[in-house]
Amino acid sequence: MVKPTCVVVGVGPGNGAAFAKKFNHEGYQVALLARNKSYLDKLQTELGEAKSYICDVTKPDQIADVFSRIQAEMAPIETLIYNAGSGHSCTIENLDIYEYESDWKINCRGCALFGQLVTTEMIQHGKGNIIIVGATASLRGRANFASFASAKAAQRSLAQSMARHLWPKGVHVAYLIIDGPVSKSRTLDGSTRDNQAFLQPPDIADTAFFLTTQAKSAWTFEVDLRPHVEKW
């Protein structure tokens, strides 16, 4: 039996690695995308059935090239997780226009380009999952988050537009809002725990996987995740 492919864009030692491990554990072969080759190679070895690809999401040509390689080397993509993110802390007075543009390219434009590439095949098969990882800033713009909040808000609106277009075609688009600090714990079984005030990456990954198992009669678009002690 050919295993479906899960593409994780933005793989680091926190949420990205947890997504990769969870979907690998659940029977997917995983495409690992990030800019850090040494970490990708290490995780690829650990997972076994995975392939690593160097990808800078600010470069459209590189995105297209990597996507073509994944299509040629792996099974059809059933799930895309867009976890790439960048946020510069600034007020409107000290906003740097180049950092502002970079935040938008990583959080929003890269997400749009990957979404555009995967949807054709998913629509043809009448199924697929696109999970986009947001943040508190997707909903609220704090005074010193002028750059990051505007990029994440744009990303959330993009996700809504994608969902309204793609759901009727059988493609489940969902938006995860991470509302709180994330620990660096990376265990699947939860044996390593930090302070209870932190979200644990394996638990976030569990929710992401659950979204891919939902029946079409009760799909979720947006889910916000926070520690039980988080004030909100």
Side-chain angles (χ1 to χ4, degrees):
M1 182 180 295
V2 177
K3 294 183 176 181
T5 297
C6 173
V7 177
V8 183
V9 182
V11 175
N15 290 338
F19 291 135
K21 291 176 182 179
K22 177 64 178 178
F23 279 79
N24 176 263
H25 178 74
E26 296 293 344
Y28 281 78
Q29 51 182 332
V30 183
L32 311 167
L33 278 62
R35 291 177 294 182
N36 187 334
K37 185 179 188 303
S38 60
Y39 182 74
L40 287 183
D41 290 345
K42 176 183 176 182
L43 186 59
Q44 176 181 319
T45 300
E46 181 181 344
L47 294 180
E49 290 192 79
K51 291 183 181 293
S52 62
Y53 300 88
I54 303 302
C55 185
D56 183 339
V57 300
T58 67
K59 299 179 179 179
D61 290 346
Q62 195 171 120
I63 291 174
D65 177 65
V66 167
F67 183 77
S68 295
R69 290 170 56 200
I70 292 172
Q71 284 190 308
E73 298 170 3
M74 303 186 75
I77 299 168
E78 189 168 298
T79 298
L80 167 71
I81 301 177
Y82 193 83
N83 185 55
S86 172
H88 292 92
S89 178
C90 64
T91 64
I92 191 62
E93 288 98 341
N94 62 16
L95 182 147
D96 182 292
I97 193 62
Y98 297 104
E99 292 178 346
Y100 184 85
E101 185 177 23
S102 176
D103 285 351
W104 173 77
K105 286 179 178 178
I106 293 171
N107 290 284
C108 199
R109 190 181 72 177
C111 181
L113 292 174
F114 271 103
Q116 186 178 55
L117 289 170
V118 300
T119 51
T120 299
E121 190 173 84
M122 288 182 177
I123 291 171
Q124 288 175 350
H125 291 115
K127 64 177 182 178
N129 306 283
I130 299 174
I131 299 173
I132 302 168
V133 182
T136 309
S138 305
L139 300 176
R140 297 188 295 276
R142 291 186 176 180
N144 61 336
F145 281 81
S147 180
F148 184 53
S150 59
K152 296 306 283 189
Q155 182 191 65
R156 179 171 177 258
S157 289
L158 169 66
Q160 287 179 338
S161 181
M162 290 169 62
R164 287 172 171 158
H165 171 65
L166 293 172
W167 277 27
K169 302 177 186 296
V171 181
H172 187 186
V173 180
Y175 197 67
L176 277 181
I177 294 179
I178 310 301
D179 185 24
V182 179
S183 85
K184 297 299 182 182
S185 171
R186 296 185 293 278
T187 58
L188 266 179
D189 63 2
S191 59
T192 300
R193 292 299 190 197
D194 292 341
N195 188 290
Q196 64 178 351
F198 288 83
L199 289 102
Q200 305 298 326
D203 298 334
I204 295 171
D206 284 346
T207 298
F209 179 75
F210 167 72
L211 290 170
T212 69
T213 68
Q214 289 183 313
K216 290 182 178 180
S217 68
W219 271 355
T220 296
F221 167 67
E222 186 170 274
V223 56
D224 50 342
L225 303 177
R226 61 182 63 87
H228 69 285
V229 297
E230 180 79 7
K231 295 180 179 179
W232 59 289

